[in-house]
Amino acid sequence: MNLFDVYPINDITIVKAKGSYVWDDKGEQYLDLYGGHAVISIGHTHSHWVKRIEEQLEKIAFYSNSVKIPLQKELSDKLGRISGKEDYQLFLCNSGAEANENALKLASFHNGRKKIIAFSKSFHGRTSLAVAATDNKNYVAPVNETDNVIFLPLNDQDALVECFEKKGKEISSVIIEGIQGVGGINVADDSFLKKIRSLCDKYGAVYIADSVQCGYGRSGKFFSHDFAGVNADIYSMAKGMGNGFPVAGIIIAPHIKPKHFMLGTTFGGNHLACAAALAVLEVIEEEKLMGNAVMVGKYLRDQLDQITELKNVRGRGLMIGFDVPADLKELKKNLLWNQKIFTGESKPNVIRLLPSLALKKRDAEQFIDSIKEEIEKVTEKVQG
Ligand SMILES: Cc1ncc(COP(=O)(O)O)c(C=O)c1O
């Protein structure tokens, strides 16, 4: 049987990983500034994470949500404390799309409304409502098309106000990434997030902070929405939450009340997933990784800002993007094949850095040296 060919892949087979490094089957070492798509939060195969999962595996890996799973409570308590959202409620699931799907559905259960506001260049996942709220026609199948999603330009307060004035009583939720990932590292303005908060309060809509990519400490704060000093009603989380173990969830403000069976999942919140997620939070705290994200992120931003060929360096913490001009369009490939460095991208011309939050300064320095070298090679060629 063939694999269903939906991913354009690099011809590399990774067989080993540690910290911010991975190795291929030929023994070649790569620096990983892509983090397997923003997933590796505490570093590949972190010893505490491995131990926590192994120990749990010896006890019990899975039982359904029909019995008590104390690890879930342990996780929600720790998550509440570290995120500063102690009075929120946790619902666990398996992926970012599922988290957003549940968030949008819960909002609709809560206020009985149908319309969703989403933003240009948003990405919220591949499942039905999540993909309907995603601003990319290529991902939306005819069956996902709906009039219930209204797309507005990001950071356009006037358009937002106008939409609420016209349709306020129909709006169930507003879903927004604090920093757009797939869309190309576009930061939502603090004032825009504040406006969303006040309009949701005024009209009874639910503010959903998609924190799948920009959350879990990556921005230097636990949720990037925290920069605006606002509390969303629901935060969705995945990616970094398990450092590669599939685990996701939403945290829900106390005024949104649960009812039996309104949400559910077979695998969500299983013992093994909770152990992985707990290990991640323990390491984030113990190793002060949010502080590291701020420090190494700032170093990278400052250095990248000085490279004149790269435009519009942006982001927060260790979620960084920059525009690459047309004559350097091979830069990402050259970094991979010549310098053995994985980076992320956003079509058409953005390089995205989404490394582990434990990225060391010396690795960041290596990256800066490498990118300068690759840029010089191209500019020398053009001049020569
Ligand atoms: C902001 C955002 N939301 C949702 C998702 C979907 O997550 P998953 O692929 O785990 O379903 C992604 C994945 O890239 C994302 O970046």
Side-chain angles (χ1 to χ4, degrees):
M1 192 191 294
N2 283 328
L3 295 174
F4 198 54
D5 184 14
V6 288
Y7 302 112
I9 56 173
N10 295 304
D11 185 16
I12 297 174
T13 306
I14 293 174
V15 293
K16 198 175 89 168
K18 190 82 203 158
S20 292
Y21 286 92
V22 297
W23 288 264
D24 71 13
D25 53 355
K26 297 171 191 79
E28 191 74 69
Q29 176 179 306
Y30 300 79
L31 175 61
D32 184 12
L33 298 188
Y34 173 54
H37 208 80
V39 165
I40 301 304
S41 47
I42 60 171
H44 288 282
T45 60
H46 190 290
S47 57
H48 179 67
W49 178 84
V50 171
K51 186 161 167 271
R52 210 47 158 110
I53 294 173
E54 277 177 356
E55 284 175 0
Q56 188 57 48
L57 199 49
E58 295 287 342
K59 293 183 204 152
I60 177 171
F62 173 83
Y63 204 79
S64 87
N65 283 301
S66 61
V67 297
K68 281 187 178 168
I69 302 178
L71 282 168
Q72 293 184 351
K73 183 70 174 86
E74 201 185 323
L75 176 59
S76 66
D77 285 345
K78 199 171 220 26
L79 183 55
R81 189 169 54 70
I82 295 180
S83 68
K85 316 279 183 230
E86 262 152 315
D87 55 346
Y88 281 55
Q89 312 151 81
L90 174 65
F91 174 76
L92 289 161
C93 54
N94 309 285
S95 70
E98 194 187 349
N100 285 329
E101 200 74 29
N102 279 300
L104 294 162
K105 190 171 160 182
L106 180 56
S108 177
F109 271 132
H110 174 67
N111 55 23
R113 302 178 187 169
K114 292 185 179 170
K115 299 261 185 247
I116 295 162
I117 295 180
F119 296 97
S120 48
K121 293 200 168 181
S122 59
F123 183 86
H124 299 298
R126 309 279 182 159
T127 56
S128 69
L129 256 183
V131 83
T134 288
D135 183 26
N136 188 328
K137 293 269 174 294
N138 295 331
Y139 304 157
V140 182
V143 71
N144 303 127
E145 284 167 11
T146 168
D147 293 335
N148 285 332
V149 180
I150 303 164
F151 286 100
L152 298 177
L154 183 69
N155 291 332
D156 184 338
Q157 292 199 27
D158 293 343
L160 187 67
V161 171
E162 195 189 322
C163 182
F164 266 101
E165 279 171 358
K166 276 198 191 135
K167 299 202 165 103
K169 290 283 169 230
E170 293 170 62
I171 307 294
S172 173
S173 59
V174 179
I175 184 164
I176 180 163
E177 298 157 80
I179 306 169
Q180 290 185 336
V182 175
I185 313 292
N186 306 311
V187 181
D189 295 341
D190 293 350
S191 59
F192 192 64
L193 298 181
K194 284 197 177 97
K195 195 59 156 184
I196 291 177
R197 179 66 279 168
S198 70
L199 289 166
C200 283
D201 287 342
K202 183 169 172 193
Y203 290 94
V206 174
Y207 173 171
I208 300 171
D210 181 342
S211 302
V212 167
Q213 189 162 150
C214 60
Y216 246 76
R218 175 159 299 283
S219 68
K221 291 197 187 280
F222 197 82
F223 294 117
S224 65
H225 295 247
D226 295 343
F227 283 96
V230 294
N231 280 317
D233 298 309
I234 304 178
Y235 295 83
S236 58
M237 310 159 297
K239 293 201 186 286
M241 188 173 183
N243 196 46
F245 194 97
V247 53
I250 50 176
I251 59 167
I252 303 143
H255 69 278
I256 300 179
K257 305 290 178 206
K259 246 200 217 158
H260 282 176
F261 307 119
M262 73 196 310
L263 306 179
T265 152
T266 298
F267 292 126
N270 67 72
H271 298 73
L272 216 44
C274 287
L278 273 162
V280 167
L281 289 178
E282 285 156 2
V283 172
I284 286 180
E285 196 168 40
E286 178 71 26
E287 298 184 6
K288 300 184 174 52
L289 293 188
M290 286 193 266
N292 189 64
V294 172
M295 201 253 299
V296 182
K298 182 174 178 330
Y299 168 79
L300 278 170
R301 287 271 310 265
D302 289 348
Q303 294 296 312
L304 289 165
D305 264 333
Q306 289 172 34
I307 303 177
T308 50
E309 289 83 358
L310 306 176
K311 306 294 175 206
N312 195 13
V313 180
R314 57 198 182 266
R316 274 175 165 149
L318 284 173
M319 184 163 182
I320 297 173
F322 49 87
D323 297 341
V324 175
D327 54 346
L328 288 173
K329 64 179 189 316
E330 300 298 323
L331 184 59
K332 182 177 179 295
K333 268 192 207 147
N334 294 343
L335 283 168
L336 178 60
W337 297 113
N338 302 340
Q339 303 288 340
K340 311 294 177 204
I341 298 176
F342 276 99
T343 55
E345 69 181 334
S346 274
K347 300 279 185 225
N349 67 332
V350 179
I351 287 189
R352 271 195 286 170
L353 305 181
L354 304 160
S356 147
L357 308 184
L359 183 73
K360 295 198 167 55
K361 172 125 181 286
R362 63 163 189 269
D363 293 328
E365 285 165 355
Q366 184 201 328
F367 169 68
I368 296 296
D369 290 345
S370 303
I371 198 166
K372 282 182 180 162
E373 195 182 314
E374 287 308 316
I375 291 171
E376 262 165 38
K377 276 190 209 164
V378 173
T379 40
E380 269 166 21
K381 230 193 236 168
V382 171
Q383 283 159 3

